[in-house]
Amino acid sequence: MNRTFRLLASTLVIALAGCATPRDVPPSPPQELKVIVFPGGFNWPIWAAADRGFFNKNGVRPVITPTPNSRTQLTGLIDGKFDIAMTAIDNVIAYREGQAGLDVNGSDLVAVMGGDNGFLRLVVREDVKGFGDLRGKEISVDSLTTGYAFVLMDILEQNGLLLDRDYKTVASGGVVERYQALVARKHAATLLISPFEVMAKAQGLTQLADASAAFGSYQGLVGSVRRSWAKDNSQALVGYIRAYREGVEWLYNPANREEALALFMKNVPNATRQSAETSYAVLLDPKNGFQRGAVIDLPGVQTVLRLRSKYGKPQKNLSGPQSYYDGQYFQRAAQK
């Protein structure tokens, strides 16, 4: 495990105590929740909820584990090593539909809250001035079966490039590993998640495309659980969602900007004031930032299903966003 990943892991471990709320009275002592996340600034709502005592108030004690890749995250969730995964809903669908390339049963997985639109940016080396320059090059991905690889493939196809005909892909792991490989100029391009593209630009790399502009409505990060676990731990799940929602809204309050920036710099290794401010502008953009109140974008889920129907293997015609989202826990968490 490299030094950067160790630093990210050390900053993401959260231990919190809890107390009761008026509705859905949480257990006492607070219930520990094993939560697995991808490292990065998109965990800002979790950091805020921890720092401001929102988890504590809602009777849960999350212990956060950073994942190196989607396979570790989703198989760990399926096996019961983790209770909640903050992951791409594309991953949830892939494992539900047997399109993850693994012999595992993900039929119990479901999304229970929104998070963000993915903050996906295609970042390239200096020698790549346009899409045509990617011909014959290697582009790194997490996995060709899960995550955001289909977003990458569709953006490139929109610009005349086809996988294996015009470019090759290399599996390089999660966003931390892909960022490090790109900074080392091992590959020509990769799809990064904010604020990693901010860090990449500081290293002389270039953003070539923004998935938000390419697709419009797209659902990226969600909170995902096993249905069976959620049924047996509904109070704790409601408490987690409620605290996360409070973290999001606290971040969006302009009065909290300075504290939010300090929180970012505390939790992101090597972050500067400038990178924190740039990340704030991206992640808390009124239109394309964190989803307010962690409300899931069901039309955005439909976009994910369209891409998975096009590129997923074995090929399936997928539709019906509600099949992959159980809103009952979110509705309870949203009650005042």
Side-chain angles (χ1 to χ4, degrees):
M1 185 179 292
N2 57 48
R3 181 173 180 271
T4 300
F5 193 79
R6 287 200 303 270
L7 283 169
L8 285 164
S10 67
T11 60
L12 284 168
V13 176
I14 305 172
L16 304 158
C19 62
T21 57
R23 299 175 186 267
D24 296 307
V25 178
S28 182
Q31 182 169 334
E32 179 180 291
L33 297 178
K34 294 171 288 184
V35 183
I36 185 166
V37 306
F38 280 96
F42 33 86
N43 293 300
W44 215 340
I46 293 178
W47 302 333
D51 184 75
R52 308 308 299 179
F54 300 145
F55 287 127
N56 178 72
K57 181 179 70 173
N58 284 287
V60 291
R61 185 170 63 89
V63 176
I64 309 299
T65 298
T67 186
N69 53 58
S70 57
R71 176 177 293 193
T72 298
Q73 185 183 52
L74 273 294
T75 56
L77 182 64
I78 290 169
D79 292 340
K81 295 178 182 177
F82 304 101
D83 304 318
I84 300 172
M86 301 302 294
T87 190
I89 194 168
D90 180 85
N91 290 332
V92 176
I93 298 166
Y95 281 81
R96 278 274 299 271
E97 297 295 340
Q99 293 181 324
L102 298 174
D103 185 19
V104 295
N105 183 359
S107 60
D108 201 30
L109 298 181
V110 68
V112 293
M113 57 178 279
D116 59 51
N117 67 5
F119 301 119
L120 303 174
R121 274 71 170 168
L122 178 59
V123 181
V124 300
R125 289 188 321 222
E126 299 91 331
D127 58 312
V128 177
K129 306 302 182 183
F131 285 96
D133 293 332
L134 290 173
R135 284 191 171 86
K137 302 289 199 308
E138 287 187 336
I139 300 175
S140 63
V141 297
D142 178 350
S143 164
L144 271 181
T145 60
T146 60
Y148 298 125
F150 299 155
V151 171
L152 171 67
M153 292 163 65
D154 208 66
I155 289 175
L156 294 177
E157 186 172 333
Q158 289 176 33
N159 288 275
L161 302 177
L162 295 179
L163 177 64
D164 294 330
R165 187 193 74 181
D166 300 303
Y167 66 93
K168 302 290 185 182
T169 58
V170 179
S172 298
V175 64
V176 174
E177 287 77 13
R178 297 199 310 277
Y179 164 76
Q180 292 173 337
L182 189 64
V183 167
R185 277 57 174 182
K186 292 181 179 179
H187 309 118
T190 195
L191 204 63
L192 293 180
I193 305 170
S194 291
F196 284 94
E197 91 281 6
V198 176
M199 298 158 59
K201 290 176 183 177
Q203 297 291 324
L205 300 166
T206 305
Q207 179 178 310
L208 188 60
D210 182 337
S212 297
F215 297 106
S217 183
Y218 184 88
Q219 181 64 50
L221 189 77
V222 296
S224 176
V225 299
R226 300 182 306 282
R227 286 186 186 272
S228 54
W229 178 86
K231 182 178 179 181
D232 294 337
N233 297 272
S234 61
Q235 291 180 346
L237 179 55
V238 169
Y240 176 86
I241 297 172
R242 186 175 286 151
Y244 186 98
R245 282 166 48 86
E246 291 183 71
V248 171
E249 295 311 303
W250 183 85
L251 287 172
Y252 269 109
N253 186 339
N256 301 324
R257 185 176 186 275
E258 286 302 316
E259 290 178 87
L261 293 174
L263 193 59
F264 184 92
M265 289 184 283
K266 174 183 176 182
N267 284 279
V268 176
N270 303 317
T272 64
R273 170 78 185 201
Q274 182 178 358
S275 66
E277 290 181 343
T278 303
S279 299
Y280 187 94
V282 172
L283 300 177
L284 291 162
D285 179 83
K287 181 179 179 182
N288 294 312
F290 293 120
Q291 290 168 326
R292 297 299 295 260
V295 175
I296 196 166
D297 176 11
L298 291 178
V301 179
Q302 188 60 56
T303 301
V304 175
L305 292 170
R306 176 182 65 79
L307 292 175
R308 180 151 288 281
S309 296
K310 181 177 181 179
Y311 297 107
K313 298 184 183 305
Q315 192 167 28
K316 296 183 178 182
N317 185 21
L318 305 176
S319 61
Q322 290 285 3
S323 299
Y324 308 96
Y325 172 64
D326 186 344
Q328 63 175 302
Y329 307 102
F330 180 88
Q331 290 168 7
R332 285 165 57 183
Q335 293 174 359
K336 299 298 183 181

